Amino acid sequence: MNKTVMIDKILASEINAPQAAGTAYASANIALCKYWGKRNLALNLPVTGSLSVSLGELGTTTRISIAGEDALVLDGVHLPGEDKIAKRLFGFLDYFRTAENYRFSVESESTVPIGAGLASSASGFAATVLALKDLFQWEINNEALSVLARMGSGSASRSIYKGFVEWDAGVAEDGMDSVARSLDVAWPEFRIAVLSVSEAPKKIGST
């Protein structure tokens, strides 16, 4: 089983012409109980489940439109195709080009520093999947979106939702039961404080 098979399975009945553009926002999330290790690297399947809480207005807004060539503008800066962020993003978008082999223009703005340890990739890939849903008008539920986001970044599966989220590790080899779900928890007194001591990219990536 690989990502192409999994994504095609989820989107088998969702072959729609794109809209003019798709836009979405996703919050970054912080793991309260982390998952430790992956049992399948190709599908980003974790060894254990995890619990997280979203960071509200700290996250990513992404706009995707069909273009003549792939292009990424991140926080107002055009990133060249060889940039590692652009390569990772368009490598992920390769799975969604369909038979028409669409090229994508992506504009993203992040309210968290990129690569500094505040889950920018989680909100980035979740916002990308949600923007694709808007662009292609997919009629799929949040659990399916969670699986798609997981293909880009494991933690992105949790950023599909707001509030407290549980990611069930699952047991199936194809990973279809490895999904995140929103928890029905009301805790109005709960607060999160974020203190940025450095916005420099971390030396060792989460993966």
Side-chain angles (χ1 to χ4, degrees):
M1 186 66 68
N2 57 46
K3 290 181 181 179
T4 299
V5 173
M6 287 300 305
I7 291 172
D8 287 348
K9 186 175 181 179
I10 293 170
L11 299 177
S13 61
E14 299 293 332
I15 309 301
N16 305 319
Q19 305 295 301
T23 304
Y25 170 80
S27 297
N29 74 81
I30 295 298
L32 304 176
C33 295
K34 291 184 68 67
Y35 70 89
W36 293 98
K38 296 176 183 178
R39 69 178 191 273
N40 184 313
L41 291 175
L43 298 179
N44 282 338
L45 299 180
V47 174
T48 61
S50 57
L51 176 71
S52 70
V53 63
S54 64
L55 295 183
E57 295 180 1
L58 296 180
T60 305
T61 299
T62 294
R63 180 182 186 275
I64 301 178
S65 57
I66 303 301
E69 61 181 14
D70 289 338
L72 171 61
V73 176
L74 179 60
D75 292 334
V77 178
H78 180 272
L79 299 185
E82 62 271 18
D83 181 272
K84 65 178 183 180
I85 294 176
K87 290 175 70 174
R88 184 180 178 190
L89 174 64
F90 289 114
F92 177 66
L93 288 173
D94 282 345
Y95 296 107
F96 303 96
R97 298 190 191 276
T98 72
E100 288 77 11
N101 197 25
Y102 294 120
R103 303 289 106 181
F104 296 105
S105 174
V106 182
E107 299 175 37
S108 279
E109 294 185 358
S110 178
T111 52
V112 294
I114 306 298
L118 272 174
S120 60
S121 62
S123 62
F125 279 102
T128 296
V129 167
L130 291 169
L132 287 170
K133 176 182 184 291
D134 187 34
L135 178 67
F136 289 109
Q137 296 293 290
W138 295 334
E139 295 184 2
I140 59 177
N141 60 27
N142 283 338
E143 291 186 7
L145 291 168
S146 170
V147 172
L148 293 178
R150 190 193 75 219
M151 301 297 178
S153 166
S155 299
S157 65
R158 300 187 304 246
S159 278
I160 292 296
Y161 306 92
K162 299 184 185 301
F164 292 94
V165 179
E166 180 181 7
W167 178 12
D168 186 349
V171 296
E173 289 188 12
D174 66 4
M176 285 300 291
D177 61 348
S178 182
V179 299
R181 298 180 178 88
S182 179
L183 297 178
D184 186 14
V185 175
W187 193 352
E189 300 84 8
F190 187 83
R191 296 291 185 272
I192 298 174
V194 176
L195 174 62
S196 176
V197 294
S198 172
E199 294 190 2
K202 54 194 175 187
K203 294 180 180 179
I204 299 175
S206 299
T207 301

